[in-house]
Amino acid sequence: MLARLARRGGGAAARPRHFSDDRIARATRGQVAMRQFGYDPLSGASMHAPHVAVIGAGFVGVNTALALLQRNIASRVTLTDVDEEKCLGEVLDLEDAGTPGSIAVATPEAAGQADVVVITAGRGPRPRGAPRQNV
């Protein structure tokens, strides 16, 4: 690995190919944005980790909530969905994941009081038997 880096030269070219300057800049912007909520992702210190409400308990919403909890970005995550039973089931599954922080079901009104609101809700299922072009 070092021989390949030496052949490419020093400086920015010495970085492995999978790290692009754009990707690093985007990560830095996200870290700066999290500092607005009193969380420093570089040191892991948090004065107040934000309450994040995720609207939509589908595949994307549940994985967003899981990532927020696993990376210790949010101290409290709430899920909201029109299908309350599915939402409750997903929350119970996430509680069993053993991640730090808390996860709960919230009403849309309670979700609006969160520090950060992430909307992952989609259009919803299409009618059974309807062709995709009609949707």
Side-chain angles (χ1 to χ4, degrees):
M1 177 77 177
L2 293 175
R4 277 193 307 183
L5 292 175
R7 277 183 281 176
R8 280 198 240 157
R15 253 188 245 125
R17 291 177 197 234
H18 61 276
F19 291 113
S20 68
D21 290 330
D22 182 50
R23 182 174 169 191
I24 292 170
R26 283 183 290 166
T28 305
R29 282 194 304 267
Q31 291 167 352
V32 170
M34 288 309 296
R35 287 192 192 114
Q36 295 173 351
F37 299 106
Y39 177 77
D40 186 6
L42 297 177
S43 69
S46 65
M47 298 177 295
H48 164 71
H51 167 209
V52 179
V54 179
I55 310 294
F59 185 75
V60 174
V62 170
N63 283 300
T64 300
L66 181 63
L68 289 168
L69 290 171
Q70 283 180 334
R71 294 176 185 213
N72 205 17
I73 292 174
S75 62
R76 182 171 171 225
V77 176
T78 55
L79 274 178
T80 304
D81 198 272
V82 293
D83 186 356
E84 294 174 1
E85 290 180 10
K86 180 183 185 330
C87 189
L88 178 61
E90 296 293 352
V91 165
L92 293 174
D93 287 344
L94 287 170
E95 284 177 348
D96 291 339
T99 56
S102 67
I103 180 94
V105 177
T107 63
E109 292 80 20
Q113 302 302 314
D115 298 323
V116 179
V117 177
V118 179
I119 301 175
T120 64
R123 183 200 149 294
R126 64 177 190 242
R128 186 169 283 246
R132 192 153 184 89
Q133 291 91 3
N134 294 346
V135 176

